[in-house]
Amino acid sequence: MIAPLMLVFAKYPELFALAVCQKRGFFGLPVWWKYLEPQPLPPTCEIPDFDVPGDIWLVLLAGIEMLLWFGGMIAVVMVIVGGFRFMSAMGNTEKMVTARKTIINAMLGLAIIAVATVTVSFIGNYLAK
Amino acid sequence: MDDRQARGFFLASTCYSINEDNASVMRSTQKKYLNFCLGSANTAVIAWLVLYPASVIAAPLSSKELSANPIVKDINMVVDFLAAGVGIIVVSVIIIGGIQYMTAGDNPQAVAAAKQRISNGLIALVAFIFTFAFLQWLIPGGVFK
């Protein structure tokens, strides 16, 4: 199963780079070197060179993307938690209010994250023009 | 004591005298006011220490010569580098605040902490915008290209 694949990769190293050097890691989590300049051809799977201090902001940009990833995951988890609280409220008004607040806060946090990211990237693009 | 130090001590002493007048009025505001005064006096002293030599260097130069000056070049490099990071840092602070907001659940204290973090990030952004405007006004030819 693996052997023919390895033969193909040996013949076309670009394909190997495409298949293995994904810019996404575990479960869609972006890697920290995502925005660094890639190595020149032939493609390898090494992490690109890192200049200090020129590339610090590029690494932090990837960090922001990781934070966005975490934010989305946490929003989903908190909405599920709120749903469970709603289900287990059993008509108890206080518990229902708690559950509703949990869900609303999760959605508000997601909205804050989205608005902040979109606004700042819009302003950045506008200024960079 | 030279001219600059004298100016710094003068600024600090005016702050202290204002503070003494205020101390009798309200005790809780006293500490805040003292901190503000100390902060502003320190800022004035530092600004004087930085800007006075800068003005001495820059005074006889035209705008074109200024950009060729090695000291001004180094200052521009540092300022450009730090200005590039402001957006990134503010966004990451707001995102962390948003995550805090989400995980707060129904706890009002945690929600307040998250709001505090987000507003601090926005205050930092506003402070940077004002600093930007001030530097553009202050330095002939502008710091930012």
Side-chain angles (χ1 to χ4, degrees):
Chain A
M1 182 65 199
I2 305 280
L5 209 60
M6 283 180 72
L7 279 176
V8 171
F9 282 155
K11 190 156 188 191
Y12 303 102
E14 300 87 357
L15 263 184
F16 176 74
L18 260 181
V20 183
C21 312
Q22 292 289 325
K23 297 271 183 168
R24 297 264 165 192
F26 164 72
F27 207 50
L29 183 69
V31 294
W32 65 266
W33 65 86
K34 186 177 177 184
Y35 293 104
L36 294 181
E37 288 288 318
Q39 238 83 346
L41 290 171
T44 53
C45 275
E46 285 162 15
I47 295 168
D49 287 332
F50 176 68
D51 297 337
V52 176
D55 286 342
I56 286 177
W57 303 131
L58 293 178
V59 172
L60 284 180
L61 207 61
I64 283 182
E65 208 168 317
M66 286 181 204
L67 280 177
L68 280 173
W69 184 89
F70 278 116
M73 292 289 157
I74 289 169
V76 171
V77 168
M78 288 312 287
V79 168
I80 291 171
V81 167
F84 266 108
R85 283 185 185 171
F86 227 119
M87 284 193 274
S88 59
M90 304 261 234
N92 185 338
T93 318
E94 283 179 23
K95 283 185 180 175
M96 275 167 77
V97 169
T98 305
R100 195 177 301 136
K101 271 186 186 165
T102 306
I103 294 174
I104 287 173
N105 279 342
M107 299 321 312
L108 275 177
L110 195 63
I112 287 166
I113 285 177
V115 168
T117 314
V118 170
T119 312
V120 173
S121 64
F122 172 75
I123 291 171
N125 289 336
Y126 184 78
L127 287 181
K129 234 188 271 177
Chain B
M1 183 190 292
D2 64 8
D3 185 22
R4 293 175 213 159
Q5 282 175 336
R7 196 176 166 85
F9 279 117
F10 170 71
L11 283 167
S13 65
T14 50
C15 252
Y16 277 120
S17 63
I18 297 165
N19 185 50
E20 264 174 31
D21 291 339
N22 227 28
S24 57
V25 181
M26 197 181 279
R27 204 164 181 80
S28 63
T29 53
Q30 183 191 355
K31 202 172 174 187
K32 208 184 246 180
Y33 196 79
L34 178 66
N35 282 340
F36 175 75
C37 261
L38 286 177
S40 58
N42 281 341
T43 312
V45 171
I46 291 165
W48 179 254
L49 286 175
V50 171
L51 295 180
Y52 182 70
S55 65
V56 168
I57 293 163
L61 296 175
S62 71
S63 179
K64 199 176 175 185
E65 285 170 323
L66 189 70
S67 59
N69 187 320
I71 295 173
V72 174
K73 262 185 191 168
D74 283 355
I75 291 174
N76 270 345
M77 205 179 70
V78 171
V79 167
D80 283 346
F81 172 69
L82 289 177
V86 169
I88 288 170
I89 287 173
V90 167
V91 171
S92 49
V93 165
I94 292 175
I95 288 174
I96 290 168
I99 290 173
Q100 222 177 338
Y101 212 118
M102 286 183 218
T103 52
D106 62 322
N107 183 358
Q109 283 178 340
V111 171
K115 278 182 186 169
Q116 185 70 40
R117 189 175 288 256
I118 291 164
S119 67
N120 281 348
L122 292 177
I123 287 168
L125 190 63
V126 171
F128 170 70
I129 289 167
F130 278 111
T131 313
F132 173 86
F134 176 68
L135 284 178
Q136 284 292 77
W137 167 78
L138 180 77
I139 296 184
V143 205
F144 301 96
K145 300 296 173 293

